[in-house]
Amino acid sequence: MEESRLQELLNVVQKNTSYYHLKWGSVNDPGKQNTWNWAAFFFSTFWLAYRKMYKLFFLFLGIELLWTIPAYFVDLPLWVMYSFYPLVAIITGLYGNRWYYLHTVKILHESQKCPDSQQESYVKTKGGAHLGIMFGLMAFSLLFYFLTDFALAHVPTTTNIKDIVRYSDDAITLEVFTEDYEWNYVEKKDRYHVVEFKGYDYTEDEDVRILFHVFFDKQIYEWRDVYLNGQKLSEEEAIDYELWIEENW
């Protein structure tokens, strides 16, 4: 692209202009050709906020919300949930310089509609980067995520009911000591829900089956019946097994 045109755009960039001079100057059309941006890769949506590309920032925030909603209603592998973040990082790293070029072109075009006396101030206001806004939007997105998570986690779906147990310390220990484990929603009784854990304890060579009572309104659970190799343990034996699990956490 022409050097004079590039310099006009760098006036909009304001910060780290040498980087964008190199990246945009290395291709014929920066608005159609991609160049890699490591800062955009590592900071993704926060980089978008830093460079004042707010529409893209909120677009990705909305997509993240849509991505996570199904996990509160159906059982999904963790890799499905967490694949969103590396995917966004790769997309932002790949397209970041191209998006930012189009962003600066738009600002420059809009500034030229202003009176000559206002064009410079318009470019300074709309262009450049802003750490304070980035940190503010980071705080907003984290607050938005936690509020959304809190609201969706209190929807009484079978997945959320099971999650009260299977995200506990007891569940982590059970899963460490067993193979082919699974969590099943059994039924609702009165004020509680029955959740079943099944797995094979390779250390003791035993099939393990445990029934939990989940009180969803209080977000707590209780151990109930414990079965080893199909045999139900006595109340005292069940308590000892529960204590053994807790001590091995």
Side-chain angles (χ1 to χ4, degrees):
M1 65 184 301
E2 296 180 1
E3 184 65 25
S4 59
R5 176 63 171 174
L6 183 57
Q7 288 300 326
E8 287 181 327
L9 294 172
L10 293 178
N11 289 335
V12 180
V13 173
Q14 299 175 33
K15 295 183 178 181
N16 202 14
T17 55
S18 59
Y19 173 83
Y20 292 98
H21 185 281
L22 173 65
K23 290 293 184 176
W24 293 342
S26 65
V27 294
N28 294 325
D29 188 350
K32 294 182 179 180
Q33 295 172 276
N34 297 321
T35 52
W36 186 258
N37 187 317
W38 283 108
F41 172 77
F42 285 113
F43 299 102
S44 55
T45 55
F46 298 135
W47 176 81
L48 294 173
Y50 174 68
R51 282 295 174 180
K52 300 183 180 180
M53 290 184 279
Y54 306 128
K55 288 183 179 180
L56 283 172
F57 173 84
F58 285 108
L59 175 63
F60 278 109
L61 190 63
I63 293 173
E64 181 181 4
L65 174 62
L66 295 175
W67 188 284
T68 57
I69 284 177
Y72 297 91
F73 296 89
V74 295
D75 293 341
L76 295 175
L78 285 178
W79 70 265
V80 173
M81 289 297 303
Y82 293 115
S83 63
F84 174 82
Y85 302 102
L87 182 61
V88 169
I90 293 171
I91 291 173
T92 310
L94 182 62
Y95 288 93
N97 289 335
R98 178 175 169 183
W99 291 339
Y100 191 46
Y101 173 83
L102 296 173
H103 176 71
T104 57
V105 168
K106 182 179 179 181
I107 291 174
L108 185 63
H109 178 71
E110 292 297 324
S111 71
Q112 292 169 349
K113 296 179 181 179
C114 301
D116 292 343
S117 60
Q118 298 177 10
Q119 289 184 10
E120 185 177 351
S121 61
Y122 182 91
V123 168
K124 286 184 177 180
T125 302
K126 298 292 185 179
H130 201 297
L131 273 174
I133 293 176
M134 184 194 75
F135 285 122
L137 288 176
M138 284 175 64
F140 170 81
S141 62
L142 289 173
L143 178 62
F144 175 80
Y145 174 81
F146 284 120
L147 290 177
T148 303
D149 176 69
F150 180 82
L152 291 174
H154 282 75
V155 178
T157 64
T158 58
T159 296
N160 285 339
I161 292 165
K162 289 187 291 184
D163 284 349
I164 292 176
V165 187
R166 63 182 172 184
Y167 287 157
S168 66
D169 294 344
D170 291 341
I172 294 173
T173 305
L174 285 169
E175 292 176 1
V176 167
F177 282 101
T178 58
E179 295 177 339
D180 301 323
Y181 58 81
E182 60 183 46
W183 295 90
N184 301 307
Y185 179 86
V186 180
E187 61 181 339
K188 184 180 186 304
K189 286 189 174 182
D190 300 324
R191 293 179 51 250
Y192 61 86
H193 302 263
V194 181
V195 172
E196 176 192 57
F197 172 84
K198 294 173 67 176
Y200 174 72
D201 185 345
Y202 58 89
T203 61
E204 299 293 334
D205 192 25
E206 295 174 329
D207 288 317
V208 179
R209 178 173 179 257
I210 305 172
L211 297 179
F212 297 91
H213 287 182
V214 177
F215 298 86
F216 188 74
D217 56 337
K218 297 181 179 179
Q219 298 284 293
I220 60 174
Y221 68 91
E222 295 178 350
W223 286 64
R224 296 306 298 174
D225 300 327
V226 179
Y227 298 82
L228 298 180
N229 290 327
Q231 298 296 315
K232 183 179 178 180
L233 301 186
S234 67
E235 184 176 348
E236 183 177 344
E237 291 172 330
I239 292 174
D240 288 340
Y241 188 86
E242 178 182 354
L243 291 173
W244 181 79
I245 291 295
E246 291 175 350
E247 289 171 358
N248 282 277
W249 158 243

